[in-house]
Amino acid sequence: MDQDSHCTAEEELLEGVSRITTFSTTSPSEEEENQLKVEISCQVRKENPEKDDLQDSNATLSPNSSMTTKELQEYWKNEKSQCRQVKLLFEIPSTRIVEHHLSKYVMYKIIILQTGSFDSNKSVIERRYSDFEKLHRNLLEEFSEEMEDVTFPKKTLTGNFTEEIINERKLAFKDYLRFLYSMKCIRRSKKFIDFLTRPELQEAYGCLRGGQYTKALEILLEVIGLQERLTRGNPVSIVPTLCAIVVCHKDLENPASAFEYGEKALSHLHVRTSHRYYIPLLETMITLAYELGKDFLSLQEKLEEWKTKKDPIRVFTLKELAVREYVQ
């Protein structure tokens, strides 16, 4: 079955789940939820037998799945979005010259946009020549064959700060990023993703460790959108950032916002209960749910279920885990 047909089938399934939830006046019983899971799982296998586990081999739905109807809706929403190929557009509209006591360099402003979407959000980062150069060296080590025809602007002994050279490099770096992104193996590589996100994440976690939660949150909220676009095929990889946002909101006494991002992080971990963030996140969510007057019993049940299956080990708190990220 081609991708368009697959998307259509999933859209119909998602719509069906939405209708059931929208027009129900009472919460569905456990029996009804299980029946819904069976029907959806069977329908997917019928429509697309060669792809039982749509994205993650561990994410296959079954009648014994512990996912609620709300979680099923979110699951199919995510799966439907996976059908669309995310395309990013790189632009370098401007530069600025930075002068320190012993150094002088050019910072290139990079704007990253998602095309083919009504999403007007954009990500803005800055990188210098040496950052591009380091990325190029790293990619040559890992992807020598793919990179053999990729050109990179060379350093010059003089004239690096002339308008002509800067404009040439602006165009060269824009084409360079577009070319790298066109290769699936590179755009999904950690080295490429780190180039686009790591400096900002390092700054954000540094602020978090220093108790500057407002500044840390501001940066994290800027980065998370770009991370989601870059790691569409691996949503678990953004869990640490989501959890750092939870920590910031919680310490800034925004429990509702903390709970919202916590739910999003948990949705990525529903089949990854061995993940190091799972239990600390569950414990934090139980506290937040109790504070907000939400249902915390279902979260408590998941925690107790995990404890009965695992040997007792030391588990860090969510904040303790967060402050350990990006420690150089």
Side-chain angles (χ1 to χ4, degrees):
M1 178 176 293
D2 60 65
Q3 190 179 54
D4 291 339
S5 300
H6 183 200
C7 291
T8 302
E10 289 180 357
E11 288 170 359
E12 292 174 353
L13 291 171
L14 179 62
E15 183 180 354
V17 175
S18 300
R19 286 200 300 269
I20 290 173
T21 305
T22 303
F23 293 109
S24 294
T25 57
T26 60
S27 300
S29 66
E30 183 178 349
E31 180 179 355
E32 290 171 332
E33 287 186 1
N34 286 337
Q35 181 61 33
L36 177 60
K37 294 167 193 170
V38 173
E39 292 173 359
I40 292 177
S41 184
C42 291
Q43 179 67 14
V44 171
R45 285 193 293 271
K46 179 180 177 182
E47 295 290 339
N48 196 16
E50 75 280 5
K51 196 175 182 183
D52 282 326
D53 49 356
L54 298 171
Q55 182 64 37
D56 190 322
S57 60
N58 293 321
T60 306
L61 294 177
S62 71
N64 296 321
S65 171
S66 61
M67 295 168 67
T68 64
T69 301
K70 181 180 179 181
E71 289 172 332
L72 278 168
Q73 285 183 276
E74 184 65 26
Y75 177 86
W76 286 115
K77 181 180 178 181
N78 291 336
E79 289 300 331
K80 185 176 73 170
S81 68
Q82 293 286 344
C83 296
R84 304 190 188 99
Q85 182 182 356
V86 176
K87 295 183 179 179
L88 298 183
L89 179 67
F90 298 88
E91 296 291 344
I92 304 181
S94 61
T95 61
R96 64 187 178 94
I97 297 176
V98 179
E99 293 189 61
H100 290 304
H101 295 298
L102 300 175
S103 64
K104 181 180 179 180
Y105 53 87
V106 179
M107 293 294 290
Y108 296 85
K109 181 179 180 180
I110 306 169
I111 297 179
I112 307 165
L113 298 166
Q114 180 175 328
T115 63
S117 170
F118 292 108
D119 185 2
S120 60
N121 292 334
K122 62 182 179 182
S123 299
V124 181
I125 60 176
E126 283 189 317
R127 297 293 182 267
R128 55 188 291 188
Y129 181 95
S130 60
D131 296 323
F132 282 97
E133 191 176 37
K134 181 180 178 181
L135 170 66
H136 192 67
R137 287 198 308 269
N138 289 337
L139 293 178
L140 282 173
E141 290 176 2
E142 187 173 350
F143 305 102
S144 57
E145 187 175 337
E146 291 83 357
M147 295 289 293
E148 62 182 359
D149 295 326
V150 180
T151 57
F152 187 83
K154 295 181 180 180
K155 276 187 176 180
T156 58
L157 295 176
T158 59
N160 286 309
F161 302 102
T162 64
E163 184 177 353
E164 181 182 2
I165 292 295
I166 290 174
N167 286 333
E168 285 180 4
R169 287 183 176 174
K170 277 170 54 178
L171 294 174
F173 284 142
K174 180 176 72 172
D175 291 340
Y176 178 73
L177 289 173
R178 287 179 175 179
F179 190 82
L180 294 181
Y181 186 77
S182 70
M183 292 183 282
K184 183 177 179 180
C185 62
I186 291 180
R187 71 168 174 263
R188 291 189 174 183
S189 70
K190 184 178 185 301
K191 291 175 181 177
F192 182 70
I193 294 172
D194 278 353
F195 167 79
L196 295 172
T197 61
R198 189 177 181 87
E200 286 72 25
L201 286 172
Q202 286 177 322
E203 181 183 0
Y205 279 99
C207 292
L208 193 157
R209 283 188 289 273
Q212 299 174 281
Y213 301 114
T214 300
K215 179 63 176 177
L217 182 61
E218 178 185 338
I219 300 171
L220 290 168
L221 291 175
E222 286 286 333
V223 176
I224 191 65
L226 178 56
Q227 275 190 306
E228 288 175 332
R229 289 168 172 82
L230 292 168
T231 62
R232 183 66 67 97
N234 182 25
V236 174
S237 64
I238 68 170
V239 166
T241 306
L242 290 171
C243 289
I245 292 174
V246 172
V247 169
C248 290
H249 274 306
K250 189 172 183 295
D251 278 43
L252 290 170
E253 299 183 355
N254 300 325
S257 296
F259 191 84
E260 176 187 348
Y261 280 93
E263 281 191 313
K264 192 170 186 178
L266 270 182
S267 71
H268 294 324
L269 296 179
H270 65 84
V271 292
R272 296 288 297 275
T273 58
S274 61
H275 195 281
R276 61 196 172 97
Y277 270 90
Y278 181 68
I279 293 305
L281 179 59
L282 261 185
E283 291 174 338
T284 300
M285 290 295 285
I286 291 169
T287 301
L288 290 169
Y290 182 81
E291 182 180 348
L292 293 167
K294 294 179 178 289
D295 171 34
F296 63 89
L297 293 179
S298 59
L299 295 170
Q300 187 70 48
E301 288 174 1
K302 290 181 180 179
L303 180 61
E304 295 301 325
E305 180 184 357
W306 185 90
K307 288 181 177 180
T308 60
K309 294 180 179 179
K310 304 288 183 179
D311 294 329
I313 56 174
R314 183 191 173 194
V315 177
F316 292 110
T317 66
L318 197 66
K319 189 172 183 178
E320 287 173 339
L321 276 181
V323 298
R324 282 168 169 76
E325 295 284 349
Y326 292 94
V327 176
Q328 294 180 328

